[in-house]
Each structure stands twice: as structure tokens, then as C-alpha cells.
Amino acid sequence: MRTGTEEKTPLRVNAEKIQAYLREAFGESARLSWLGEIGQTGTQGMKEFGYGKPLRIEFSVEGRVKSAVLSIMRGDKYGHQFYWDRAAILMFQHETSGRLPRHARSLGLGYFDSADRMVGVKEPKEFFILTELLEGEDYYRHLERIGRTEAAPKDVALATSFADWLADIHSERVDNPDLYLRRVRNLIGASECIFGLVDAYPHPYDLFPPERFQALERRVVDWRWKLRAYTKRLSPVHGDFHPWNVLVEDQGERYDFHVLDRSRGEFGEPADDVATMSLNFVLFSLYGQTDSPRLSGPLEQLYTAFWERYLERTHDEEILDVIAPFYMFRGLVIASPQWYPHHPEPVRRGLLRFLENVLADDRFDWRGINKYLA
């Protein structure tokens, strides 16, 4: 069983690799003259740099002697489990330390590659990613079509294939209670999750005044304590599995799909992915039921097929005990006047009622979802 924070091969960096980095960073005249642990003086000390204490180095550039400290961060359970967590801290220190009076300045920012070579990052302004281009049509367009017409057999089959895909990736359990607790903590308190989304709503907001938001926040903190008993559920997840992150290809008798934009970590609570997709079936159904918002018709058919297949494949009835705060998070997203400014008012009101009602129920009744909209 994976833990989600597997140790990589121990880092070993010797004087030759440090010298190569110094020459790349400071020019051909850079020469390493001494290295050792902090506090050591005299002749050359430690031969290799591992995950131990910071390393003091002395070097010269065009004959001028400089002293520096080479250090990395260790992983821990306080939000630094992954190298990208630690990279963010080091990037912050590199960018800002020199702007604080009396603070030690950063002389360089970089990373150790797979061969333990030191690769410098020079004057970063912004980072980018280049990904492959996949063919297909955004899935939300299919839901718009289905909401206007009906669900064809291959539309229903596509919904069940989503459930099959999730069942497969959620089938692995990851032994890391601290990481599960971090994911729950992020769900509630992170800037892009529940508390951050609440802060992004207008204040005060006529459709949902502050006292209702306050009541929601108090209730979701109770859910945080409930979820402490479910740390064994940590699994690989997508993290943002919604119709705008799914591309659909028409294969004739069937649809195939690809996914984009994995978010918020490799591991989490499976209910996150299930809530995210299934609540969008509700959203598109509400557009056809604005007088009395409810899930019905062909989109209810997709919702039912999705839930039935997922539970059939996983036998995970426990998901119904934990999914409510993940529905709250996704509901805050799709009810947001910032992210979805064109919702008819009855649609938005129905979604906001859903947030309150779903948190009030200890176990989610997936077949009776319309009672949460009432």
C-alpha cells in the first residue's frame, strides 16, 4: 500500500556537482574553495551533501571570496509532504528575503534533478506548463444538449464510464492519515475552497445573507471533526472532475473521454470526485426547472446511472457518510455569482438551499436529492 509520500533515492551531492552549479550560476571564474557543516572552519570538511544539516560553502568569483549556505527543506506533515510544497516556500524566500532589512539575501534558487545535479532557476517571474493537446468536445456542451432534448443510450453509457473510471482510480487506498487530514483541512480553509469561496461572494449578499454563511461555516467545522474517523479512505483522486475538465470524442456507437487539469493534490477523499461530477447533472437540470428547481428528466437519468454504477463497482456505501462537505464545496462553486454570473435567480437559490440542507443530513440520500433543493 502506498503512503502518498514515498521516499525517493537519498540525495547525494558532492563537491564536483556544487562546483558545476557555481560555474553555471556565477560564471566560469567561480571556484569552490571549502565546504562543511555550519560552524566548521579550516580545511574542506564533509564530502557529500544529503538530507542532513545545511552546508556551508566558500567560493570565489573573479577572485572575490563569498560564503553561502546550501540547504533544502525536509518533508513533514504540516503541509510540506511533497517537493512542490517545499518548492513554494523556497521560491517565496528567494523572492522576498532581500526586500527585508537585515535579512540574509538569496544568492540562488534551483532544484536537484534526478541525477542529483544542481539546476539553477534564474530570475523567475512566472512559471508555465506545456501539455499535450487532446481532441474532443467539452462535456458541458453534451449536458446542454441533453437538457434540451433527451439522453441517448450512449449518453447514459458515458455517465457510467465516468463512474467506472472513478471506481478504478479510487480502488487504491493510501496509508497516510496526516495527508487525509490535510486534504480535509484544505477543503474547509484553503483560499480556493470553502472559506475562500465564501469570502469571494458579495458581502453582504441579498440571496444569502451573512448569518446564513456563518451558520454554514460552523456546521462544516463539525464535519471536519466527523471526517477525522475516515482517514483510511485516502485514495488517488482527480480533484476537479467536472464537465469543463472532460473532453468527449464520438466513436460512433459510443463516446470516449479524456480529462484535464488535475487539481489540489494527487490523493484525497473519493467523495470529492463523485460530488463534483454528480452535482453538475443537477445544475444542468435546474435550468429546465426554474419554477421549482429539481433534478428530473434525462439529467436525472444520467445522475442515477452514474451513482448506481459507482456504488455497484465500489460497494462504498460509506461515501454517503462523508460526501456532504464536498457537495457544499462544489455547490459554492457552481452557485457563485462570480464564476457563474448568468444563472437565473431560481437556479442560484436552489443551489444555495442545497448547501444548507445537505450539511444538515448525517448521511446523504442520493436517491432523494430533490429534498435538499426544496
Side-chain angles (χ1 to χ4, degrees), residues 113-259:
D113 69 10
S114 59
D116 291 347
R117 292 180 294 247
M118 298 172 66
V119 182
V121 177
K122 298 180 180 179
E123 299 184 357
K125 181 177 181 180
E126 197 60 70
F127 289 80
F128 65 87
I129 186 172
L130 185 67
T131 61
E132 63 175 331
L133 176 66
L134 298 174
E135 300 297 329
E137 183 178 36
D138 291 327
Y139 183 53
Y140 79 87
R141 296 188 179 277
H142 288 247
L143 296 182
E144 290 176 337
R145 167 183 56 79
I146 293 166
R148 294 191 303 267
T149 57
E150 62 182 7
K154 66 180 183 179
D155 291 316
V156 178
L158 180 59
T160 61
S161 69
F162 293 158
D164 286 333
W165 179 71
L166 290 180
D168 287 339
I169 65 173
H170 295 165
S171 63
E172 179 186 356
R173 287 294 189 252
V174 179
D175 182 19
N176 194 327
D178 289 323
L179 185 54
Y180 187 89
L181 295 176
R182 175 184 176 179
R183 292 294 176 244
V184 173
R185 188 166 65 246
N186 289 350
L187 168 73
I188 295 170
S191 293
E192 63 177 356
C193 294
I194 290 174
F195 284 0
L197 285 165
V198 168
D199 286 347
Y201 274 70
H203 179 74
Y205 187 40
D206 290 342
L207 292 186
F208 208 82
E211 58 269 20
R212 292 175 73 181
F213 277 122
Q214 291 170 26
L216 277 181
E217 290 189 357
R218 286 192 290 267
R219 188 168 287 166
V220 81
V221 168
D222 291 337
W223 274 93
R224 164 172 138 81
W225 286 91
K226 176 181 177 178
L227 292 178
R228 293 184 72 90
Y230 294 89
T231 58
K232 65 183 183 301
R233 293 180 52 79
L234 187 70
S235 301
V237 293
H238 178 280
D240 205 19
F241 184 53
H242 60 67
W244 285 262
N245 280 343
V246 177
L247 295 176
V248 178
E249 285 190 281
D250 192 339
Q251 302 288 340
E253 294 184 355
R254 59 183 289 273
Y255 289 121
D256 196 7
F257 73 96
H258 300 282
V259 297

Side-chain angles (χ1 to χ4, degrees), residues 17 32 59 71 139 144 153 234 245 248 286 351:
K17 290 176 180 176
L32 176 67
F59 62 101
S71 59
Y139 183 53
E144 290 176 337
L234 187 70
N245 280 343
V248 178
L286 296 188
L351 292 170

Side-chain angles (χ1 to χ4, degrees), residues 54 67 78 81 86 106 143-144 163 225 256 294 349 353 374:
S67 297
Y78 301 106
Q81 284 100 334
R86 303 186 287 275
S106 171
L143 296 182
E144 290 176 337
W225 286 91
D256 196 7
R294 59 185 290 106
R349 286 188 182 277
R353 284 196 301 272

Side-chain angles (χ1 to χ4, degrees), residues 263-294:
S263 299
R264 287 180 286 281
E266 184 178 4
F267 305 102
E269 165 56 57
D272 189 358
D273 289 334
V274 174
T276 299
M277 181 56 73
S278 61
L279 193 55
N280 275 279
F281 297 136
V282 178
L283 170 63
F284 282 86
S285 179
L286 296 188
Y287 264 74
Q289 305 283 342
T290 54
D291 291 337
S292 178
R294 59 185 290 106

Side-chain angles (χ1 to χ4, degrees), residues 266-327:
E266 184 178 4
F267 305 102
E269 165 56 57
D272 189 358
D273 289 334
V274 174
T276 299
M277 181 56 73
S278 61
L279 193 55
N280 275 279
F281 297 136
V282 178
L283 170 63
F284 282 86
S285 179
L286 296 188
Y287 264 74
Q289 305 283 342
T290 54
D291 291 337
S292 178
R294 59 185 290 106
L295 174 65
S296 63
L299 288 154
E300 183 179 19
Q301 188 179 1
L302 299 187
Y303 168 91
T304 301
F306 174 81
W307 261 111
E308 284 182 342
R309 178 60 68 88
Y310 185 82
L311 293 175
E312 175 189 342
R313 283 288 314 279
T314 64
H315 306 289
D316 183 16
E317 296 289 334
E318 190 177 60
I319 195 174
L320 304 175
D321 295 325
V322 302
I323 200 170
F326 297 93
Y327 266 136

